[in-house]
Amino acid sequence: MTLKDWLLTAGLAVLAGPALADGELHIYTWGNYTNPTLIDRFEEAHGVRVTITDYDSSDTAIARIRQGGHGFDIVVPAAVVTPVWIEEGLLLETNPAEMENFIHVDERFRSPSFDPERRYTVPWLWGSTGVTVNTSAYDGDINTSAIFLDPPSELRGRVNVVPELADILFLAIRYVGGDWCTDDRDVLRATHQALLAAKEHWISIDYGSLDSMVGEDLLATVTWNGAALRMRAANPDLHYGYPREGYPLWMDSVAVLADASNVDNARLFMNFVMDPENAALITAFAGYANSITGSEAYLPEELLNAPEIIIPDDLVEAGELMLICDPAVMDLYARMWMEVMQ
């Protein structure tokens, strides 16, 4: 699936006559990803006290839930791993299509391949993985994965890479001419060699690159488009590139955990985030696109035209929704990634 199937739409309307519920709701989600105003509105509308606990990777999240005894009600899994959550019985079948606000979900997002017919999840945000470059240090083409796989001399030694197996391997495999989920040994050998050769030019493999990019300790980083938008807001020399060799699109969704203690409140939250006005709050905070029609009416003007969200026409086709590969292929990728990370 290419970005042609993934259009930024939005719209917002407040919940009419909200149902009130007592108690608590415990959300387990990515760090710095939830608008406090959204939570305040939900608490006020439904009389529910919300707590949020952060995680920094999909592996961290699923490992903690597998252990049990976590006390969480809601999780926000990425599309690439959502089938694993479902197959392992970690999510509750909530049938969001029966919820009042499901009518606001854009038709393109109503039955995604990672959760057909939306039996378990509702949309949160979606976006892309690319590169951010300090264009005061480098004025060449930034729409390429060469920024981190064969860095120009101006950037070498000041490049960061996020420690995300799927995102980095997707970019690297496409850079050497392969397709995501390939098990072609020649492609994988070329990918492995490209990563090992590039690593000597990286200064870090870290999530927290925003401050270092803004302060210009780093000159380039692999990152997500919403983070790139926040970087540019703090330093106008920082620009986001969409690798023309191919880049992944991703989507995060809200799901209720199978062992949740506050299921009714979790369902209320799922319905709440599909309201257009609330979806706009989510986008405005994180800087990523949502899939709720009508939310654009509530978005800040700068987000409607942000280059980190509106992909250039000539780079649209290079985007592809990243889904999980067969277990045998993912095992190959994991072993390759472990060697790169050593």
Side-chain angles (χ1 to χ4, degrees):
M1 182 183 296
T2 69
L3 192 58
K4 279 187 172 179
D5 303 309
W6 292 71
L7 303 177
L8 170 60
T9 57
L12 250 136
V14 274
L15 289 170
L20 294 177
D22 295 323
E24 302 176 345
L25 180 66
H26 303 285
I27 300 174
Y28 191 38
T29 185
W30 300 91
N32 197 30
Y33 205 34
T34 308
N35 192 332
T37 301
L38 177 82
I39 299 304
D40 291 343
R41 285 190 182 183
F42 179 75
E43 290 181 327
E44 182 178 354
H46 295 293
V48 174
R49 184 172 65 85
V50 177
T51 61
I52 296 177
T53 302
D54 298 342
Y55 53 79
D56 61 6
S57 72
S58 295
D59 290 341
T60 298
I62 200 168
R64 186 164 183 184
I65 301 306
R66 282 169 174 159
Q67 291 173 359
H70 46 76
F72 302 125
D73 302 304
I74 278 177
V75 71
V76 186
V80 68
V81 293
T82 295
V84 176
W85 286 82
I86 294 172
E87 290 164 9
E88 294 191 13
L90 300 175
L91 303 183
L92 183 69
E93 188 170 344
T94 50
N95 296 313
E98 299 174 3
M99 297 180 181
E100 177 186 0
N101 284 329
F102 192 79
I103 61 171
H104 299 300
V105 176
D106 188 281
E107 290 186 4
R108 300 168 185 83
F109 299 86
R110 291 187 179 185
S111 186
S113 56
F114 59 84
D115 180 16
E117 299 180 7
R118 287 281 184 187
R119 293 166 55 200
Y120 297 88
T121 68
V122 301
W124 181 256
L125 293 172
W126 67 271
S128 62
T129 307
V131 293
T132 295
V133 179
N134 189 319
T135 56
S136 69
Y138 176 68
D139 62 1
D141 180 19
I142 66 170
N143 292 310
T144 172
S145 286
I147 292 296
F148 78 99
L149 288 172
D150 186 16
S153 59
E154 297 94 327
L155 304 177
R156 293 190 174 193
R158 297 172 71 178
V159 175
N160 177 70
V161 173
V162 292
E164 280 287 332
L165 178 158
D167 293 85
I168 301 305
L169 286 184
F170 186 105
L171 290 165
I173 287 170
R174 291 297 299 271
Y175 182 73
V176 301
D179 293 321
W180 178 240
C181 289
T182 184
D183 61 357
D184 184 288
R185 297 304 171 124
D186 290 335
V187 170
L188 297 185
R189 186 178 301 110
T191 301
H192 189 223
Q193 292 171 349
L195 287 166
L196 291 179
K199 186 179 177 182
E200 67 179 272
H201 304 302
W202 305 343
I203 192 173
S204 55
I205 304 176
D206 189 19
Y207 289 105
S209 60
L210 190 150
D211 290 342
S212 296
M213 284 293 294
V214 171
E216 302 189 356
D217 295 319
L218 292 173
L219 296 179
T221 185
V222 177
T223 192
W224 297 281
N225 61 302
L229 188 151
R230 293 193 293 275
M231 291 177 189
R232 180 172 59 84
N235 184 336
D237 289 329
L238 304 180
H239 292 274
Y240 184 67
Y242 299 87
R244 64 183 72 259
E245 302 90 2
Y247 57 88
L249 302 172
W250 52 266
M251 185 173 199
D252 294 337
S253 300
V254 174
V256 180
L257 292 164
D259 53 358
S261 298
N262 302 289
V263 172
D264 289 342
N265 293 340
R267 290 177 184 270
L268 284 175
F269 188 77
M270 293 180 89
N271 189 59
F272 190 78
V273 301
M274 291 188 288
D275 175 86
E277 188 170 358
N278 298 329
L281 285 175
I282 300 169
T283 288
F285 179 80
Y288 297 105
N290 67 69
S291 53
I292 304 301
T293 58
S295 65
E296 73 278 356
Y298 303 90
L299 287 173
E301 183 67 27
E302 60 269 21
L303 287 184
L304 294 176
N305 301 302
E308 296 86 357
I309 295 178
I310 308 302
I311 301 175
D313 290 344
D314 63 331
L315 296 170
V316 166
E317 290 288 350
E320 178 185 345
L321 178 62
M322 181 172 60
L323 298 175
I324 198 164
C325 309
D326 291 337
V329 174
M330 291 306 298
D331 183 61
L332 285 173
Y333 291 2
R335 282 185 280 159
M336 185 191 311
W337 182 243
M338 286 180 62
E339 292 186 25
V340 172
M341 292 289 285
Q342 288 177 352

